[in-house]
Amino acid sequence: MREALRKSNEHHVTITSEDYAKFCEFFYKKTGIVFTDKKGYFVERRLQERIEKTKSESFRDYFSLLRFQMSGDEWQELINNMTVNETYFLREDYQFDAMSNGMLPEIAQERPAGRSVKIWSLPCSTGEEPYSIAIHILEKWALADSYAIEICASDIDTRVVTQARRGVYGERSLQRLSPELRRKYFSKTGVDQYLIREELRESIDFSVTNIIDPLHMSRYRSVDIIFCRNLLIYFDDISRRGAVELMYECLSPGGFICLGHSESMSRISSLFKPRKFGETVVYQKAG
Ligand SMILES: C[S@@+](CC[C@H](N)C(=O)[O-])C[C@H]1O[C@@H](n2cnc3c(N)ncnc32)[C@H](O)[C@@H]1O
């Protein structure tokens, strides 16, 4: 089928199976993401688009550009085109309940009021997750005012991080928010356009971070809770293990990792103890 698609469009350059395999291997080594056969059509279409946009004459030319361009701009553009950024406000919010009813009270028990509590949304995509964390804490954690809460949010994709900083969302993202929360934390700025309150935008520290890059990850230390949800499903066990080991270093003793509902730490790492809060399991670093 791939051959047929290639031939159907004469403007496309030829990508052989070996080229495609080389590309996937390179992408995997740099991001941890594995492209399954099911995604072949999507990946190859995006790849062809970038080859055309950069006016590369062959796959080989494009691949050299990706690897050796000094600025790294094309590599970043490619990542921005290949990632799956699906997210929305209050996604899997039972974990936010576990945070305000279980993890934060435990942290507060060991930590005098006035000190900081650090929470990291990695990956944050377009920002709905870190803003949901902030809203949830303000609404549901009685001690929110007693601690200096720092929320960081990161993603490998520069385009989504820019969107997250702007904080403008459509109805589809806000679907799970009550009218009251919409009124309290957003202003309507247009048809199907809501801007999140400035205090919230300014309270979150957004950055571009690759979870499998030790240098990027070394910028984060003493984090109390990491929300790493709906990313490891795109990895294999080797890159999952690498990411989890780097997150381990970023956490405070006793710190927590929350994974997405279809993700689990079993098979990947024995560094963490599973903890059940309500109906959800999160993973705790030894204290
Ligand atoms: C499906 S979104 C998940 C967003 C949010 N955590 C949620 O659960 O709604 C996955 C995000 O992972 C990001 N991503 C992919 N590879 C990454 C990597 N190596 N490091 C950091 N972020 C990555 C993508 O850019 C994308 O925005």
Side-chain angles (χ1 to χ4, degrees):
M1 159 153 162
R2 204 173 281 153
E3 282 300 325
L5 276 169
R6 257 177 233 133
K7 283 176 188 153
S8 71
N9 188 332
E10 54 190 287
H11 298 298
H12 284 199
V13 306
T14 302
I15 300 173
T16 65
S17 306
E18 289 78 47
D19 294 337
Y20 184 75
K22 226 159 63 178
F23 170 76
C24 291
E25 176 67 12
F26 178 72
F27 197 87
Y28 166 70
K29 287 226 169 88
K30 302 265 279 183
T31 65
I33 296 172
V34 176
F35 291 132
T36 56
D37 287 347
K38 244 173 45 197
K39 289 205 84 179
Y41 177 65
F42 164 88
V43 173
E44 197 166 326
R45 232 184 46 196
R46 296 286 159 102
L47 185 54
Q48 282 285 6
E49 278 166 19
R50 292 312 310 158
I51 290 174
E52 272 177 45
K53 285 252 161 65
T54 54
K55 301 191 171 36
S56 303
E57 297 210 330
S58 61
F59 170 81
R60 201 189 149 105
D61 281 356
Y62 181 71
F63 200 46
S64 298
L65 180 71
L66 266 192
R67 282 178 305 162
F68 304 122
Q69 186 186 40
M70 287 293 277
S71 66
D73 288 352
E74 181 50 32
W75 169 240
Q76 188 61 57
E77 194 59 42
L78 180 84
I79 289 179
N80 294 357
N81 278 278
M82 289 291 185
T83 48
V84 178
N85 308 116
E86 165 74 7
T87 188
Y88 45 87
F89 281 91
L90 301 186
R91 183 178 196 181
E92 298 175 38
D93 58 351
Y94 50 86
Q95 285 196 329
F96 302 142
D97 292 331
M99 170 178 70
S100 54
N101 297 331
M103 294 177 260
L104 287 174
E106 277 194 15
I107 292 166
Q109 238 171 25
E110 303 287 322
R111 196 168 301 176
R115 297 259 306 275
S116 74
V117 172
K118 204 162 170 179
I119 301 169
W120 190 13
S121 164
L122 167 72
C124 64
S125 188
T126 36
E128 288 88 331
E129 182 175 276
Y131 288 128
S132 298
I133 293 169
I135 292 172
H136 185 93
I137 290 178
L138 288 170
E139 293 292 316
K140 299 279 172 68
W141 193 39
L143 296 181
D145 288 336
S146 309
Y147 288 87
I149 296 168
E150 294 173 35
I151 302 178
C152 311
S154 313
D155 202 284
I156 197 172
D157 180 333
T158 52
R159 196 165 45 205
V160 294
V161 172
T162 303
Q163 269 176 260
R165 284 199 183 104
R166 278 181 57 221
V168 176
Y169 298 98
E171 184 62 42
R172 200 168 160 264
S173 269
L174 268 66
Q175 262 175 63
R176 305 199 67 230
L177 288 176
S178 65
E180 191 203 338
L181 290 180
R182 290 174 187 217
R183 265 196 307 278
K184 218 166 151 183
Y185 295 104
F186 295 82
S187 46
K188 197 161 190 310
T189 49
V191 180
D192 195 27
Q193 190 171 297
Y194 299 82
L195 174 66
I196 198 143
R197 243 171 55 184
E198 194 178 348
E199 301 92 283
L200 282 189
R201 265 183 290 140
E202 287 179 352
S203 70
I204 296 174
D205 180 10
F206 288 102
S207 70
V208 175
T209 302
N210 180 352
I211 199 172
I212 66 157
D213 185 330
L215 210 63
H216 285 194
M217 296 294 282
S218 68
R219 298 189 306 235
Y220 293 87
R221 288 295 179 261
S222 309
V223 180
D224 295 298
I225 305 176
I226 300 178
F227 283 88
C228 181
R229 308 190 306 169
N230 304 304
L231 166 60
L232 300 185
I233 35 168
Y234 302 105
F235 284 19
D236 67 358
D237 277 354
I238 297 169
S239 49
R240 281 183 195 127
R241 197 165 297 127
V244 164
E245 281 169 8
L246 289 175
M247 284 193 278
Y248 181 88
E249 297 300 327
C250 299
L251 283 169
S252 298
F256 298 94
I257 294 186
C258 305
L259 299 177
H261 73 281
S262 58
E263 298 160 331
S264 150
M265 201 73 96
S266 61
R267 283 218 334 257
I268 311 174
S269 172
S270 53
L271 291 169
F272 292 86
K273 189 167 83 177
R275 295 282 312 277
K276 199 155 188 266
F277 291 110
E279 285 310 299
T280 190
V281 173
V282 304
Y283 299 91
Q284 184 171 32
K285 176 174 173 170

